[in-house]
Amino acid sequence: MPKPPARRDTSLEHVYAVIMAGGSGTRFWPLSRRQRPKQLLELFGKGTLLAQTAARIRPLVPPERTYVFTNELLRDAIRRSLPEVPRRQIVAEPAARNTAPSLALAAHEILRRDPDGIMLALPSDHIIRKPARFLKVLRAGCKVASVEGHSVIVGLKPTEANTGYGYVRLGKIKRRLDGSEVYRVAKFIEKPKARAAARYLASGNYLWNGGMFIWRASTLLGNLRRYQPKMARGLERIARAGCATSPATLRKLYPRLEKISIDYALMQKMRSGVYALAADIGWSDVGSWSVVYDLSPKNGKGNVRPARSLCLDARRNMIVAHRKFVVAVGVEDLVIVETEDALLVCARDKSQEVGKAVQELDQQGRSDLL
Amino acid sequence: MPKPPARRDTSLEHVYAVIMAGGSGTRFWPLSRRQRPKQLLELFGKGTLLAQTAARIRPLVPPERTYVFTNELLRDAIRRSLPEVPRRQIVAEPAARNTAPSLALAAHEILRRDPDGIMLALPSDHIIRKPARFLKVLRAGCKVASVEGHSVIVGLKPTEANTGYGYVRLGKIKRRLDGSEVYRVAKFIEKPKARAAARYLASGNYLWNGGMFIWRASTLLGNLRRYQPKMARGLERIARAGCATSPATLRKLYPRLEKISIDYALMQKMRSGVYALAADIGWSDVGSWSVVYDLSPKNGKGNVRPARSLCLDARRNMIVAHRKFVVAVGVEDLVIVETEDALLVCARDKSQEVGKAVQELDQQGRSDLL
């Protein structure tokens, strides 16, 4: 008897997570350092943002199907933060090439293991306050990606006219799937000016692009061959040698790949097959100390502070201190962060400027503080 | 031949300094602690305020004629801060009885050594920015005290309507002595309300009482016998036993003396013989971090800060840090003080409230921080 035609297995057992954990932000200095970037900080309760990211998706993706892409500087710390993830699935890129090469490499790894593999690409340093809702959205997204073979972005319903995020404009066609709204994507839009952001928010026809994507690994690589043939060839050479088994090839070829985000490399170029799920999941990219303040539980005076502190006539301050007893007197709307070797005192509404201070330290040659 | 009548030697070789260093303020927390009060802080340049006090008068009073009165908790630290002062002249009072018993005890010590002794009573934790002028005023004061046998207060010309100081109202009789103005004192006045302070400033007829006095030791004790006979008797018993040679007597009798300031005990009671020198000597009692800020050299943005710090869009802040690198972003008019175990962040115009925070720490049983 002839074999029946090969049929794609679309069950959720083929879902793999690819957590992107190579970031090196400076906005949480002095808590964040080169060797301890934001994803390795415990900003909210127990566990690093990275560990919380992995834990959040665990009902859908167990550690055996979780990959983490990072760099050599962070690999050991990430292994410590995720002891349940197999060590060989925590991959250190030999050079930072942004998300497109990284995710394509992940696709090769997954495809070799599972031809029906579905990839969840997730940043490692965001928070999601409605994890159950998030899992429902992911499951719906996996169906769209798996059964229909589409590229899916998990888009966030805007709650303010934020100019710090990219947006996606939604097309007209729309349906509901397991409680999630699925839209055709009309356009990817870069960080807008304030007026445009306000318009986007008012129209209800835009979502934030939080960098969360879902594809079949084969879909991603197919699109890569079409839109980024040079990069696709480079990655195929790496894949043939075996990324994990031949680190020498990876180290030689990976740095030559174009440094480009998946948004630029693929999503913005694709004419069809790109869908967005509109997610209301309490998402935040936690972009500054001010956001941590907003999301943290406060006492009656609006202070976020450790037990070893005293606030006298002080309001709406955020105090993070690891060793010292902190006394705040008559101050308002400050961020105060004390670490082993440094102290930050920052106006809360200027906390997005902390990165500039870190640049200045870098220019002054204070690499001990970076 | 009969001996000529005893003639008092009024040369400046009989001038003794009595530095009062038992204070235990809390307004410079966390730098100041119970074991390291303000007089032991290096708030301005090199040396503690105490050491600067002793150094300032050295052209007039050498260490051999300098006495320091303090308590047992501080004695060792004070000896370290003033190694040139003979150890037995650094006297630890067994109990805090305020300035009257303290200065009377000093008078006995001096009188035993020198019947013509003249006492300069000086607080240990003030600053004087015109030290040469100060020495001229002291020399004039010593003449008035020595030759004429008067009680002299070194009064400070008010520069603002301060409600935190006592004042002296000047009488009409007035003369000049070596460039200093000498007035009969009409009245000692407690810390006034704002309107009265403004009137005092405007009238030009009032001086601040900074707690600096000059008397012959014998004059002080004579007045004590007249106005505080009970205290005088107690001190005579101590003096007979020998304060330094019989610490047991001191420990037994001293705590029984009335706890009272020299102002209340004597100066306010005396009907005549009290004179004031009007001194324009750049005096400050350095009452809060805000005053330290005002008196410290600033950079272009008005920040007072250590080399190991960075200010970005930050103005008019005072930063004191002993170990950590401090970054201030977008903040104004703050006092930031970091020590081994504590951190203070305080609005500069609220720095007089620091003492309240320390009280609160005390109530919370945080004596490790006091």
Side-chain angles (χ1 to χ4, degrees), chain B residues 62-128:
Chain B
E64 309 84 69
R65 296 203 304 269
T66 296
Y67 286 78
V68 183
F69 280 70
T70 184
N71 56 54
E72 287 172 4
L73 186 66
L74 302 180
R75 180 170 51 189
D76 290 348
I78 284 180
R79 284 176 170 170
R80 283 193 297 275
S81 183
L82 294 175
E84 69 283 8
V85 173
R87 291 168 66 91
R88 58 186 300 273
Q89 289 169 210
I90 295 175
V91 179
E93 299 160 26
R97 307 315 288 157
N98 209 328
T99 50
S102 192
L103 289 168
L105 183 62
H108 275 291
E109 285 292 296
I110 291 163
L111 203 58
R112 189 165 48 169
R113 176 173 166 180
D114 182 350
D116 292 326
I118 304 156
M119 285 172 66
L120 281 184
L122 298 171
S124 58
D125 57 353
H126 297 173
I127 69 158
I128 288 165

Side-chain angles (χ1 to χ4, degrees), chain B residues 224-246:
Chain B
L224 198 75
R225 277 190 295 272
R226 177 168 174 194
Y227 294 103
Q228 299 289 345
K230 193 179 164 205
M231 183 186 298
R233 281 193 300 275
L235 281 155
E236 274 155 20
R237 286 181 62 194
I238 294 170
R240 268 197 302 276
C243 155
T245 51
S246 175

Side-chain angles (χ1 to χ4, degrees), chain A residues 46-219:
Chain A
K46 274 200 170 176
T48 65
L49 290 180
L50 169 65
Q52 290 181 356
T53 298
R56 195 181 292 131
I57 56 168
R58 194 152 305 161
L60 182 59
V61 189
E64 310 83 70
R65 296 204 304 269
T66 296
Y67 287 79
V68 183
F69 280 70
T70 185
N71 56 54
E72 288 172 4
L73 186 65
L74 302 180
R75 182 171 47 189
D76 290 347
I78 284 180
R79 284 177 170 170
R80 282 193 297 276
S81 184
L82 294 175
E84 69 285 8
V85 172
R87 289 168 66 92
R88 58 188 300 273
Q89 289 168 210
I90 294 174
V91 180
E93 299 160 28
R97 310 313 290 154
N98 209 327
T99 50
S102 192
L103 290 168
L105 183 62
H108 275 292
E109 285 291 297
I110 290 164
L111 202 57
R112 191 166 46 170
R113 177 172 164 180
D114 183 350
D116 293 326
I118 303 156
M119 285 172 66
L120 283 184
L122 298 171
S124 59
D125 58 353
H126 298 173
I127 69 157
I128 288 164
R129 280 167 297 152
K130 300 177 185 173
R133 185 85 203 93
F134 178 53
L135 284 170
K136 284 190 80 167
V137 171
L138 291 185
R139 287 194 181 95
C142 288
K143 279 191 196 167
V144 175
S146 158
V147 179
E148 302 170 25
H150 292 316
S151 298
V152 174
I153 175 167
V154 177
L156 297 316
K157 288 186 183 171
T159 53
E160 58 180 10
N162 197 304
T163 57
Y165 303 143
Y167 286 71
V168 291
R169 194 172 79 222
L170 302 175
K172 296 233 164 94
I173 301 161
K174 165 182 164 183
R175 61 186 172 111
R176 297 185 70 83
L177 179 64
D178 301 341
S180 291
E181 298 159 1
V182 186
Y183 298 83
R184 193 183 290 272
V185 169
K187 197 181 179 188
F188 278 78
I189 298 159
E190 289 302 290
K191 292 175 185 175
K193 303 243 186 259
R195 280 182 64 177
R199 210 172 59 236
Y200 299 167
L201 176 67
S203 85
N205 208 27
Y206 292 77
L207 299 175
W208 287 336
N209 174 0
M212 293 185 279
F213 301 99
I214 313 177
W215 313 267
R216 288 202 301 248
S218 58
T219 303

Side-chain angles (χ1 to χ4, degrees), chain B residues 150-210:
Chain B
H150 293 316
S151 298
V152 174
I153 175 168
V154 178
L156 297 315
K157 289 185 182 172
T159 54
E160 57 180 11
N162 197 305
T163 58
Y165 303 143
Y167 286 70
V168 291
R169 192 171 81 225
L170 303 175
K172 296 235 164 94
I173 299 160
K174 165 183 163 181
R175 62 185 172 111
R176 296 185 70 83
L177 178 64
D178 301 341
S180 291
E181 297 158 0
V182 187
Y183 298 82
R184 193 184 290 271
V185 169
K187 196 180 181 189
F188 277 77
I189 298 160
E190 288 303 290
K191 294 175 185 177
K193 303 242 186 256
R195 281 182 65 177
R199 208 172 61 235
Y200 299 167
L201 176 67
S203 84
N205 207 28
Y206 292 78
L207 298 176
W208 286 337
N209 173 0

